Amino acid sequence: PDAAACTGCAACMKICPANAIAMVERRGDGKARLPEIDHSKCIRCYCCQELCDRHAMALVKPGFLRALEAIGRLASRFRRG
């Protein structure tokens, strides 16, 4: 989830049919909470992503984002020559 966009409303957690989302405390802030997705339970129904009007949810695994960044760096090396 996008911490800057998320309001901590927990609507995503409530709508999740697989109970794959838990609200966890933000670092250093005892009040605000963020959704955390258990990717082993997630059925990729995208209900949370569709529900969030702040566009704070994005269903991608953290490792996938790192892989995309690595691919981008590699591609830029080839473009430079």
Side-chain angles (χ1 to χ4, degrees):
D2 180 350
C6 181
T7 63
C9 71
C12 55
M13 181 186 76
K14 294 172 189 170
I15 201 170
C16 181
N19 294 318
I21 301 174
M23 299 303 288
V24 297
E25 186 177 316
R26 289 186 193 193
R27 291 184 209 140
D29 186 344
K31 296 178 184 176
R33 297 168 68 80
L34 283 174
E36 183 174 271
I37 301 170
D38 181 342
H39 291 282
S40 67
K41 291 181 181 179
C42 179
I43 60 173
R44 305 292 186 272
C45 66
Y46 298 95
C47 288
C48 60
Q49 190 168 307
E50 292 295 321
L51 177 73
C52 185
D53 60 354
R54 301 201 32 111
H55 307 288
M57 296 300 287
L59 288 179
V60 293
K61 291 184 179 182
F64 180 73
L65 292 177
R66 286 192 297 274
L68 285 178
E69 291 169 358
I71 290 168
R73 287 191 301 272
L74 184 60
S76 69
R77 285 187 201 167
F78 283 103
R79 277 185 244 138
R80 284 185 256 162

